Amino acid sequence: MESFTTVAAVRARFEPCTTRKVLVPTMGALHRGHVRLIELARQAAGEDGLVCVSIFVNPLQFGPDSDFAKYPRHESADNDLCRDAGVDIIFRPSAEEMYCADRSVFVEETSLSETLCGKSRPGHFRGVCTVVTKLFHILSPDAAVFGEKDFQQLAIIRRLVRDLDFSLEIIAVPTVREQDGLACSSRNQYLTTDEKRQAVVLQKSLLAAKQLVEAGGASAADVRAKVHQMVSAAPLARVDYVELVDAETLQPIDSIGANSLLALAIFFGNTRLIDNVRLT
Ligand code: AMP
């Protein structure tokens, strides 16, 4: 496995390569969810192709009161995980390598970013779109892999690729979960034992809402009420949002249809967890 920290070096390695190149963008503190992304990247690249994992805690996508400084950074464990998973290249640039001090160009999506996490975290998706655009330019991958856990991010990246004519395939990966149903996340390690026990309410409430819809006759208000009721039964949980949206436009919906998505963000202390489910 090779490791690069500069744009020039990784570009020099990638550019002459004629086999299929697949990128897995991450912020590190890698877990089983990331491993699944790497497995699908390998499938897409083929045995002769190149799988590159970028590890970059992107300051641009963190707000001023966020967990940027304390975001987990586990360089040696991440190296081991990547090596075991068969990654060919790690690209781990510093913030100074990625951003000039007087940077003045950003990439902004202006519709899908207005709701859900975009509403709670102003500027977050501008940071995501800017860094992903830079990674696509630096590495020119044939495909890039993203998780459905961050459903809004995935939708925004697809829009970015469409609207800016990037020539690459976006591969989506279903959410990987712990045994108890909690979606794997680098932020799960912030949770206390009690918080972690209660955090299963995210998936439980989503599944209960799905069942309610499948039983027939439930309105969007019924679904939201069911989730709120279940989440409020977990004493350490605090709702950021519980939203029903159209899975294409990410705009809020009043009635449940063929394309409905239920998404939520729940705080445990300062730790914000997200999850989602397709309702139909
Ligand atoms: P992160 O390192 O949290 O920025 O995530 C990097 C990529 O891994 C993103 O595309 C995430 O959607 C994806 N990812 C994170 N957690 C999971 C999970 N539990 N299941 C599937 N994909 C995930």
PDB file of all heavy atoms in Angstrom, residues 178-216:
ATOM      1  N   GLU A 178     -24.182  -1.560  13.407  1.00  0.00           N
ATOM      2  CA  GLU A 178     -23.687  -2.405  14.486  1.00  0.00           C
ATOM      3  C   GLU A 178     -24.731  -3.502  14.710  1.00  0.00           C
ATOM      4  O   GLU A 178     -25.842  -3.422  14.189  1.00  0.00           O
ATOM      5  CB  GLU A 178     -23.542  -1.590  15.781  1.00  0.00           C
ATOM      6  CG  GLU A 178     -22.868  -0.251  15.564  1.00  0.00           C
ATOM      7  CD  GLU A 178     -21.531  -0.137  16.253  1.00  0.00           C
ATOM      8  OE1 GLU A 178     -21.103  -1.104  16.886  1.00  0.00           O
ATOM      9  OE2 GLU A 178     -20.926   0.932  16.141  1.00  0.00           O
ATOM     10  N   GLN A 179     -24.392  -4.484  15.546  1.00  0.00           N
ATOM     11  CA  GLN A 179     -25.331  -5.591  15.772  1.00  0.00           C
ATOM     12  C   GLN A 179     -26.674  -5.123  16.310  1.00  0.00           C
ATOM     13  O   GLN A 179     -27.707  -5.681  15.995  1.00  0.00           O
ATOM     14  CB  GLN A 179     -24.709  -6.585  16.743  1.00  0.00           C
ATOM     15  CG  GLN A 179     -24.441  -7.902  16.049  1.00  0.00           C
ATOM     16  CD  GLN A 179     -23.713  -8.872  16.936  1.00  0.00           C
ATOM     17  OE1 GLN A 179     -23.498  -8.607  18.132  1.00  0.00           O
ATOM     18  NE2 GLN A 179     -23.331  -9.988  16.370  1.00  0.00           N
ATOM     19  N   ASP A 180     -26.640  -4.074  17.133  1.00  0.00           N
ATOM     20  CA  ASP A 180     -27.900  -3.596  17.728  1.00  0.00           C
ATOM     21  C   ASP A 180     -28.683  -2.681  16.789  1.00  0.00           C
ATOM     22  O   ASP A 180     -29.737  -2.181  17.153  1.00  0.00           O
ATOM     23  CB  ASP A 180     -27.612  -2.886  19.064  1.00  0.00           C
ATOM     24  CG  ASP A 180     -26.709  -1.665  18.887  1.00  0.00           C
ATOM     25  OD1 ASP A 180     -26.424  -1.283  17.732  1.00  0.00           O
ATOM     26  OD2 ASP A 180     -26.282  -1.097  19.908  1.00  0.00           O
ATOM     27  N   GLY A 181     -28.179  -2.432  15.593  1.00  0.00           N
ATOM     28  CA  GLY A 181     -28.929  -1.625  14.623  1.00  0.00           C
ATOM     29  C   GLY A 181     -28.418  -0.203  14.471  1.00  0.00           C
ATOM     30  O   GLY A 181     -28.738   0.484  13.495  1.00  0.00           O
ATOM     31  N   LEU A 182     -27.612   0.266  15.425  1.00  0.00           N
ATOM     32  CA  LEU A 182     -27.060   1.624  15.320  1.00  0.00           C
ATOM     33  C   LEU A 182     -26.156   1.716  14.090  1.00  0.00           C
ATOM     34  O   LEU A 182     -25.290   0.852  13.884  1.00  0.00           O
ATOM     35  CB  LEU A 182     -26.259   1.947  16.591  1.00  0.00           C
ATOM     36  CG  LEU A 182     -25.552   3.310  16.623  1.00  0.00           C
ATOM     37  CD1 LEU A 182     -26.561   4.459  16.581  1.00  0.00           C
ATOM     38  CD2 LEU A 182     -24.671   3.435  17.867  1.00  0.00           C
ATOM     39  N   ALA A 183     -26.359   2.736  13.265  1.00  0.00           N
ATOM     40  CA  ALA A 183     -25.523   2.906  12.077  1.00  0.00           C
ATOM     41  C   ALA A 183     -24.077   3.141  12.508  1.00  0.00           C
ATOM     42  O   ALA A 183     -23.821   3.979  13.389  1.00  0.00           O
ATOM     43  CB  ALA A 183     -26.034   4.085  11.258  1.00  0.00           C
ATOM     44  N   CYS A 184     -23.131   2.427  11.902  1.00  0.00           N
ATOM     45  CA  CYS A 184     -21.716   2.654  12.216  1.00  0.00           C
ATOM     46  C   CYS A 184     -21.361   4.099  11.893  1.00  0.00           C
ATOM     47  O   CYS A 184     -21.773   4.624  10.853  1.00  0.00           O
ATOM     48  CB  CYS A 184     -20.819   1.749  11.373  1.00  0.00           C
ATOM     49  SG  CYS A 184     -21.026   0.009  11.674  1.00  0.00           S
ATOM     50  N   SER A 185     -20.620   4.741  12.773  1.00  0.00           N
ATOM     51  CA  SER A 185     -20.201   6.121  12.547  1.00  0.00           C
ATOM     52  C   SER A 185     -18.944   6.391  13.363  1.00  0.00           C
ATOM     53  O   SER A 185     -18.798   5.872  14.479  1.00  0.00           O
ATOM     54  CB  SER A 185     -21.311   7.090  13.000  1.00  0.00           C
ATOM     55  OG  SER A 185     -20.789   8.402  13.118  1.00  0.00           O
ATOM     56  N   SER A 186     -18.057   7.206  12.808  1.00  0.00           N
ATOM     57  CA  SER A 186     -16.852   7.583  13.558  1.00  0.00           C
ATOM     58  C   SER A 186     -17.242   8.299  14.844  1.00  0.00           C
ATOM     59  O   SER A 186     -16.481   8.300  15.814  1.00  0.00           O
ATOM     60  CB  SER A 186     -15.969   8.497  12.704  1.00  0.00           C
ATOM     61  OG  SER A 186     -15.725   7.902  11.460  1.00  0.00           O
ATOM     62  N   ARG A 187     -18.417   8.931  14.855  1.00  0.00           N
ATOM     63  CA  ARG A 187     -18.827   9.709  16.033  1.00  0.00           C
ATOM     64  C   ARG A 187     -19.412   8.824  17.130  1.00  0.00           C
ATOM     65  O   ARG A 187     -19.604   9.309  18.252  1.00  0.00           O
ATOM     66  CB  ARG A 187     -19.831  10.795  15.623  1.00  0.00           C
ATOM     67  CG  ARG A 187     -19.194  11.907  14.792  1.00  0.00           C
ATOM     68  CD  ARG A 187     -20.141  13.076  14.577  1.00  0.00           C
ATOM     69  NE  ARG A 187     -19.452  14.255  14.078  1.00  0.00           N
ATOM     70  CZ  ARG A 187     -19.365  14.606  12.797  1.00  0.00           C
ATOM     71  NH1 ARG A 187     -19.946  13.874  11.867  1.00  0.00           N
ATOM     72  NH2 ARG A 187     -18.712  15.698  12.438  1.00  0.00           N
ATOM     73  N   ASN A 188     -19.696   7.535  16.837  1.00  0.00           N
ATOM     74  CA  ASN A 188     -20.250   6.669  17.886  1.00  0.00           C
ATOM     75  C   ASN A 188     -19.296   6.560  19.071  1.00  0.00           C
ATOM     76  O   ASN A 188     -19.718   6.335  20.192  1.00  0.00           O
ATOM     77  CB  ASN A 188     -20.545   5.266  17.338  1.00  0.00           C
ATOM     78  CG  ASN A 188     -21.721   5.259  16.383  1.00  0.00           C
ATOM     79  OD1 ASN A 188     -22.413   6.274  16.228  1.00  0.00           O
ATOM     80  ND2 ASN A 188     -21.952   4.138  15.728  1.00  0.00           N
ATOM     81  N   GLN A 189     -17.990   6.734  18.803  1.00  0.00           N
ATOM     82  CA  GLN A 189     -17.032   6.575  19.902  1.00  0.00           C
ATOM     83  C   GLN A 189     -17.106   7.726  20.910  1.00  0.00           C
ATOM     84  O   GLN A 189     -16.545   7.626  21.988  1.00  0.00           O
ATOM     85  CB  GLN A 189     -15.613   6.390  19.375  1.00  0.00           C
ATOM     86  CG  GLN A 189     -15.132   7.500  18.495  1.00  0.00           C
ATOM     87  CD  GLN A 189     -13.858   7.066  17.742  1.00  0.00           C
ATOM     88  OE1 GLN A 189     -12.761   7.292  18.210  1.00  0.00           O
ATOM     89  NE2 GLN A 189     -14.015   6.445  16.595  1.00  0.00           N
ATOM     90  N   TYR A 190     -17.798   8.812  20.569  1.00  0.00           N
ATOM     91  CA  TYR A 190     -18.011   9.882  21.562  1.00  0.00           C
ATOM     92  C   TYR A 190     -19.046   9.471  22.614  1.00  0.00           C
ATOM     93  O   TYR A 190     -19.162  10.095  23.658  1.00  0.00           O
ATOM     94  CB  TYR A 190     -18.587  11.138  20.905  1.00  0.00           C
ATOM     95  CG  TYR A 190     -17.737  11.842  19.874  1.00  0.00           C
ATOM     96  CD1 TYR A 190     -18.358  12.534  18.840  1.00  0.00           C
ATOM     97  CD2 TYR A 190     -16.353  11.866  19.956  1.00  0.00           C
ATOM     98  CE1 TYR A 190     -17.622  13.218  17.887  1.00  0.00           C
ATOM     99  CE2 TYR A 190     -15.614  12.548  19.007  1.00  0.00           C
ATOM    100  CZ  TYR A 190     -16.253  13.222  17.979  1.00  0.00           C
ATOM    101  OH  TYR A 190     -15.525  13.897  17.043  1.00  0.00           O
ATOM    102  N   LEU A 191     -19.893   8.475  22.283  1.00  0.00           N
ATOM    103  CA  LEU A 191     -21.055   8.179  23.133  1.00  0.00           C
ATOM    104  C   LEU A 191     -20.641   7.475  24.419  1.00  0.00           C
ATOM    105  O   LEU A 191     -19.770   6.597  24.405  1.00  0.00           O
ATOM    106  CB  LEU A 191     -22.047   7.285  22.377  1.00  0.00           C
ATOM    107  CG  LEU A 191     -22.627   7.844  21.077  1.00  0.00           C
ATOM    108  CD1 LEU A 191     -23.421   6.761  20.334  1.00  0.00           C
ATOM    109  CD2 LEU A 191     -23.519   9.067  21.350  1.00  0.00           C
ATOM    110  N   THR A 192     -21.285   7.849  25.528  1.00  0.00           N
ATOM    111  CA  THR A 192     -21.106   7.091  26.771  1.00  0.00           C
ATOM    112  C   THR A 192     -21.865   5.768  26.634  1.00  0.00           C
ATOM    113  O   THR A 192     -22.661   5.599  25.697  1.00  0.00           O
ATOM    114  CB  THR A 192     -21.689   7.865  27.968  1.00  0.00           C
ATOM    115  OG1 THR A 192     -23.113   7.964  27.769  1.00  0.00           O
ATOM    116  CG2 THR A 192     -21.103   9.265  28.103  1.00  0.00           C
ATOM    117  N   THR A 193     -21.643   4.877  27.581  1.00  0.00           N
ATOM    118  CA  THR A 193     -22.334   3.574  27.517  1.00  0.00           C
ATOM    119  C   THR A 193     -23.847   3.774  27.503  1.00  0.00           C
ATOM    120  O   THR A 193     -24.565   3.141  26.721  1.00  0.00           O
ATOM    121  CB  THR A 193     -21.929   2.729  28.746  1.00  0.00           C
ATOM    122  OG1 THR A 193     -20.503   2.742  28.822  1.00  0.00           O
ATOM    123  CG2 THR A 193     -22.416   1.303  28.624  1.00  0.00           C
ATOM    124  N   ASP A 194     -24.339   4.668  28.352  1.00  0.00           N
ATOM    125  CA  ASP A 194     -25.802   4.907  28.395  1.00  0.00           C
ATOM    126  C   ASP A 194     -26.305   5.503  27.094  1.00  0.00           C
ATOM    127  O   ASP A 194     -27.351   5.120  26.579  1.00  0.00           O
ATOM    128  CB  ASP A 194     -26.140   5.864  29.544  1.00  0.00           C
ATOM    129  CG  ASP A 194     -26.165   5.134  30.867  1.00  0.00           C
ATOM    130  OD1 ASP A 194     -26.132   3.876  30.838  1.00  0.00           O
ATOM    131  OD2 ASP A 194     -26.188   5.813  31.910  1.00  0.00           O
ATOM    132  N   GLU A 195     -25.551   6.484  26.577  1.00  0.00           N
ATOM    133  CA  GLU A 195     -25.970   7.121  25.313  1.00  0.00           C
ATOM    134  C   GLU A 195     -26.006   6.096  24.187  1.00  0.00           C
ATOM    135  O   GLU A 195     -26.936   6.062  23.386  1.00  0.00           O
ATOM    136  CB  GLU A 195     -25.013   8.268  24.964  1.00  0.00           C
ATOM    137  CG  GLU A 195     -25.178   9.486  25.862  1.00  0.00           C
ATOM    138  CD  GLU A 195     -24.079  10.528  25.655  1.00  0.00           C
ATOM    139  OE1 GLU A 195     -23.016  10.192  25.077  1.00  0.00           O
ATOM    140  OE2 GLU A 195     -24.274  11.672  26.098  1.00  0.00           O
ATOM    141  N   LYS A 196     -24.992   5.253  24.156  1.00  0.00           N
ATOM    142  CA  LYS A 196     -24.910   4.250  23.074  1.00  0.00           C
ATOM    143  C   LYS A 196     -26.095   3.296  23.161  1.00  0.00           C
ATOM    144  O   LYS A 196     -26.699   2.945  22.144  1.00  0.00           O
ATOM    145  CB  LYS A 196     -23.582   3.498  23.179  1.00  0.00           C
ATOM    146  CG  LYS A 196     -23.280   2.653  21.977  1.00  0.00           C
ATOM    147  CD  LYS A 196     -21.781   2.605  21.706  1.00  0.00           C
ATOM    148  CE  LYS A 196     -21.494   2.073  20.310  1.00  0.00           C
ATOM    149  NZ  LYS A 196     -21.698   0.656  20.164  1.00  0.00           N
ATOM    150  N   ARG A 197     -26.430   2.900  24.398  1.00  0.00           N
ATOM    151  CA  ARG A 197     -27.576   1.996  24.572  1.00  0.00           C
ATOM    152  C   ARG A 197     -28.847   2.654  24.048  1.00  0.00           C
ATOM    153  O   ARG A 197     -29.658   2.047  23.379  1.00  0.00           O
ATOM    154  CB  ARG A 197     -27.717   1.657  26.062  1.00  0.00           C
ATOM    155  CG  ARG A 197     -28.283   0.281  26.271  1.00  0.00           C
ATOM    156  CD  ARG A 197     -28.269  -0.233  27.698  1.00  0.00           C
ATOM    157  NE  ARG A 197     -27.980   0.733  28.733  1.00  0.00           N
ATOM    158  CZ  ARG A 197     -26.944   0.645  29.575  1.00  0.00           C
ATOM    159  NH1 ARG A 197     -26.098  -0.341  29.472  1.00  0.00           N
ATOM    160  NH2 ARG A 197     -26.762   1.548  30.505  1.00  0.00           N
ATOM    161  N   GLN A 198     -28.992   3.947  24.368  1.00  0.00           N
ATOM    162  CA  GLN A 198     -30.227   4.638  23.968  1.00  0.00           C
ATOM    163  C   GLN A 198     -30.236   5.004  22.475  1.00  0.00           C
ATOM    164  O   GLN A 198     -31.296   5.214  21.887  1.00  0.00           O
ATOM    165  CB  GLN A 198     -30.409   5.897  24.813  1.00  0.00           C
ATOM    166  CG  GLN A 198     -30.699   5.571  26.266  1.00  0.00           C
ATOM    167  CD  GLN A 198     -30.944   6.808  27.113  1.00  0.00           C
ATOM    168  OE1 GLN A 198     -31.390   7.835  26.608  1.00  0.00           O
ATOM    169  NE2 GLN A 198     -30.661   6.693  28.396  1.00  0.00           N
ATOM    170  N   ALA A 199     -29.046   5.070  21.873  1.00  0.00           N
ATOM    171  CA  ALA A 199     -28.967   5.521  20.473  1.00  0.00           C
ATOM    172  C   ALA A 199     -29.602   4.536  19.492  1.00  0.00           C
ATOM    173  O   ALA A 199     -29.879   4.891  18.337  1.00  0.00           O
ATOM    174  CB  ALA A 199     -27.503   5.773  20.091  1.00  0.00           C
ATOM    175  N   VAL A 200     -29.889   3.322  19.961  1.00  0.00           N
ATOM    176  CA  VAL A 200     -30.585   2.378  19.059  1.00  0.00           C
ATOM    177  C   VAL A 200     -31.972   2.903  18.689  1.00  0.00           C
ATOM    178  O   VAL A 200     -32.592   2.429  17.749  1.00  0.00           O
ATOM    179  CB  VAL A 200     -30.712   0.959  19.668  1.00  0.00           C
ATOM    180  CG1 VAL A 200     -29.354   0.332  19.877  1.00  0.00           C
ATOM    181  CG2 VAL A 200     -31.508   0.991  20.954  1.00  0.00           C
ATOM    182  N   VAL A 201     -32.433   3.904  19.449  1.00  0.00           N
ATOM    183  CA  VAL A 201     -33.759   4.473  19.168  1.00  0.00           C
ATOM    184  C   VAL A 201     -33.808   5.095  17.759  1.00  0.00           C
ATOM    185  O   VAL A 201     -34.893   5.200  17.174  1.00  0.00           O
ATOM    186  CB  VAL A 201     -34.168   5.506  20.253  1.00  0.00           C
ATOM    187  CG1 VAL A 201     -33.426   6.836  20.071  1.00  0.00           C
ATOM    188  CG2 VAL A 201     -35.661   5.744  20.244  1.00  0.00           C
ATOM    189  N   LEU A 202     -32.680   5.495  17.221  1.00  0.00           N
ATOM    190  CA  LEU A 202     -32.701   6.063  15.862  1.00  0.00           C
ATOM    191  C   LEU A 202     -33.270   5.032  14.886  1.00  0.00           C
ATOM    192  O   LEU A 202     -34.274   5.263  14.219  1.00  0.00           O
ATOM    193  CB  LEU A 202     -31.295   6.478  15.400  1.00  0.00           C
ATOM    194  CG  LEU A 202     -30.863   7.897  15.770  1.00  0.00           C
ATOM    195  CD1 LEU A 202     -30.382   7.967  17.205  1.00  0.00           C
ATOM    196  CD2 LEU A 202     -29.754   8.399  14.849  1.00  0.00           C
ATOM    197  N   GLN A 203     -32.624   3.872  14.814  1.00  0.00           N
ATOM    198  CA  GLN A 203     -33.095   2.885  13.833  1.00  0.00           C
ATOM    199  C   GLN A 203     -34.446   2.311  14.236  1.00  0.00           C
ATOM    200  O   GLN A 203     -35.313   2.088  13.403  1.00  0.00           O
ATOM    201  CB  GLN A 203     -32.081   1.749  13.652  1.00  0.00           C
ATOM    202  CG  GLN A 203     -32.371   1.000  12.353  1.00  0.00           C
ATOM    203  CD  GLN A 203     -32.043  -0.484  12.393  1.00  0.00           C
ATOM    204  OE1 GLN A 203     -31.891  -1.082  13.451  1.00  0.00           O
ATOM    205  NE2 GLN A 203     -31.949  -1.090  11.229  1.00  0.00           N
ATOM    206  N   LYS A 204     -34.651   2.107  15.559  1.00  0.00           N
ATOM    207  CA  LYS A 204     -35.926   1.516  16.007  1.00  0.00           C
ATOM    208  C   LYS A 204     -37.088   2.395  15.593  1.00  0.00           C
ATOM    209  O   LYS A 204     -38.120   1.926  15.126  1.00  0.00           O
ATOM    210  CB  LYS A 204     -35.904   1.327  17.525  1.00  0.00           C
ATOM    211  CG  LYS A 204     -35.090   0.128  17.954  1.00  0.00           C
ATOM    212  CD  LYS A 204     -35.614  -0.439  19.270  1.00  0.00           C
ATOM    213  CE  LYS A 204     -35.016  -1.828  19.518  1.00  0.00           C
ATOM    214  NZ  LYS A 204     -34.289  -1.925  20.757  1.00  0.00           N
ATOM    215  N   SER A 205     -36.934   3.702  15.773  1.00  0.00           N
ATOM    216  CA  SER A 205     -38.055   4.599  15.447  1.00  0.00           C
ATOM    217  C   SER A 205     -38.266   4.666  13.932  1.00  0.00           C
ATOM    218  O   SER A 205     -39.402   4.748  13.459  1.00  0.00           O
ATOM    219  CB  SER A 205     -37.832   5.989  16.047  1.00  0.00           C
ATOM    220  OG  SER A 205     -36.665   6.570  15.511  1.00  0.00           O
ATOM    221  N   LEU A 206     -37.181   4.590  13.165  1.00  0.00           N
ATOM    222  CA  LEU A 206     -37.328   4.591  11.702  1.00  0.00           C
ATOM    223  C   LEU A 206     -38.064   3.339  11.250  1.00  0.00           C
ATOM    224  O   LEU A 206     -38.958   3.395  10.393  1.00  0.00           O
ATOM    225  CB  LEU A 206     -35.949   4.658  11.031  1.00  0.00           C
ATOM    226  CG  LEU A 206     -35.162   5.966  11.192  1.00  0.00           C
ATOM    227  CD1 LEU A 206     -33.789   5.833  10.553  1.00  0.00           C
ATOM    228  CD2 LEU A 206     -35.908   7.140  10.571  1.00  0.00           C
ATOM    229  N   LEU A 207     -37.716   2.193  11.845  1.00  0.00           N
ATOM    230  CA  LEU A 207     -38.362   0.938  11.440  1.00  0.00           C
ATOM    231  C   LEU A 207     -39.830   0.925  11.878  1.00  0.00           C
ATOM    232  O   LEU A 207     -40.700   0.442  11.145  1.00  0.00           O
ATOM    233  CB  LEU A 207     -37.615  -0.264  12.014  1.00  0.00           C
ATOM    234  CG  LEU A 207     -36.213  -0.479  11.423  1.00  0.00           C
ATOM    235  CD1 LEU A 207     -35.549  -1.710  12.024  1.00  0.00           C
ATOM    236  CD2 LEU A 207     -36.263  -0.601   9.896  1.00  0.00           C
ATOM    237  N   ALA A 208     -40.105   1.480  13.068  1.00  0.00           N
ATOM    238  CA  ALA A 208     -41.500   1.545  13.530  1.00  0.00           C
ATOM    239  C   ALA A 208     -42.316   2.430  12.590  1.00  0.00           C
ATOM    240  O   ALA A 208     -43.466   2.114  12.244  1.00  0.00           O
ATOM    241  CB  ALA A 208     -41.548   2.092  14.964  1.00  0.00           C
ATOM    242  N   ALA A 209     -41.716   3.529  12.145  1.00  0.00           N
ATOM    243  CA  ALA A 209     -42.410   4.429  11.210  1.00  0.00           C
ATOM    244  C   ALA A 209     -42.673   3.719   9.885  1.00  0.00           C
ATOM    245  O   ALA A 209     -43.755   3.843   9.295  1.00  0.00           O
ATOM    246  CB  ALA A 209     -41.564   5.677  10.983  1.00  0.00           C
ATOM    247  N   LYS A 210     -41.709   2.963   9.445  1.00  0.00           N
ATOM    248  CA  LYS A 210     -41.865   2.228   8.178  1.00  0.00           C
ATOM    249  C   LYS A 210     -43.018   1.222   8.297  1.00  0.00           C
ATOM    250  O   LYS A 210     -43.853   1.092   7.399  1.00  0.00           O
ATOM    251  CB  LYS A 210     -40.548   1.515   7.847  1.00  0.00           C
ATOM    252  CG  LYS A 210     -40.463   0.946   6.455  1.00  0.00           C
ATOM    253  CD  LYS A 210     -39.038   0.444   6.214  1.00  0.00           C
ATOM    254  CE  LYS A 210     -38.935  -0.522   5.050  1.00  0.00           C
ATOM    255  NZ  LYS A 210     -39.190   0.071   3.760  1.00  0.00           N
ATOM    256  N   GLN A 211     -43.057   0.537   9.455  1.00  0.00           N
ATOM    257  CA  GLN A 211     -44.141  -0.433   9.663  1.00  0.00           C
ATOM    258  C   GLN A 211     -45.497   0.257   9.671  1.00  0.00           C
ATOM    259  O   GLN A 211     -46.476  -0.237   9.127  1.00  0.00           O
ATOM    260  CB  GLN A 211     -43.959  -1.150  10.998  1.00  0.00           C
ATOM    261  CG  GLN A 211     -43.045  -2.368  10.886  1.00  0.00           C
ATOM    262  CD  GLN A 211     -42.696  -2.953  12.238  1.00  0.00           C
ATOM    263  OE1 GLN A 211     -43.295  -2.588  13.254  1.00  0.00           O
ATOM    264  NE2 GLN A 211     -41.715  -3.838  12.258  1.00  0.00           N
ATOM    265  N   LEU A 212     -45.537   1.425  10.307  1.00  0.00           N
ATOM    266  CA  LEU A 212     -46.782   2.193  10.374  1.00  0.00           C
ATOM    267  C   LEU A 212     -47.270   2.517   8.959  1.00  0.00           C
ATOM    268  O   LEU A 212     -48.445   2.378   8.645  1.00  0.00           O
ATOM    269  CB  LEU A 212     -46.505   3.489  11.143  1.00  0.00           C
ATOM    270  CG  LEU A 212     -47.675   4.319  11.625  1.00  0.00           C
ATOM    271  CD1 LEU A 212     -48.481   3.546  12.664  1.00  0.00           C
ATOM    272  CD2 LEU A 212     -47.150   5.637  12.248  1.00  0.00           C
ATOM    273  N   VAL A 213     -46.341   2.907   8.109  1.00  0.00           N
ATOM    274  CA  VAL A 213     -46.700   3.252   6.729  1.00  0.00           C
ATOM    275  C   VAL A 213     -47.148   1.999   5.976  1.00  0.00           C
ATOM    276  O   VAL A 213     -48.145   2.017   5.252  1.00  0.00           O
ATOM    277  CB  VAL A 213     -45.501   3.920   6.013  1.00  0.00           C
ATOM    278  CG1 VAL A 213     -45.747   4.064   4.526  1.00  0.00           C
ATOM    279  CG2 VAL A 213     -45.211   5.267   6.646  1.00  0.00           C
ATOM    280  N   GLU A 214     -46.432   0.911   6.196  1.00  0.00           N
ATOM    281  CA  GLU A 214     -46.773  -0.321   5.474  1.00  0.00           C
ATOM    282  C   GLU A 214     -48.128  -0.868   5.904  1.00  0.00           C
ATOM    283  O   GLU A 214     -48.817  -1.528   5.126  1.00  0.00           O
ATOM    284  CB  GLU A 214     -45.662  -1.360   5.672  1.00  0.00           C
ATOM    285  CG  GLU A 214     -44.470  -1.053   4.760  1.00  0.00           C
ATOM    286  CD  GLU A 214     -43.190  -1.806   5.114  1.00  0.00           C
ATOM    287  OE1 GLU A 214     -43.198  -2.602   6.083  1.00  0.00           O
ATOM    288  OE2 GLU A 214     -42.185  -1.571   4.439  1.00  0.00           O
ATOM    289  N   ALA A 215     -48.523  -0.585   7.164  1.00  0.00           N
ATOM    290  CA  ALA A 215     -49.835  -1.042   7.635  1.00  0.00           C
ATOM    291  C   ALA A 215     -50.960  -0.280   6.937  1.00  0.00           C
ATOM    292  O   ALA A 215     -52.107  -0.714   6.916  1.00  0.00           O
ATOM    293  CB  ALA A 215     -49.923  -0.871   9.148  1.00  0.00           C
ATOM    294  N   GLY A 216     -50.629   0.884   6.382  1.00  0.00           N
ATOM    295  CA  GLY A 216     -51.600   1.658   5.595  1.00  0.00           C
ATOM    296  C   GLY A 216     -52.291   2.735   6.416  1.00  0.00           C
ATOM    297  O   GLY A 216     -52.488   2.614   7.623  1.00  0.00           O
TER     298      GLY A 216
END
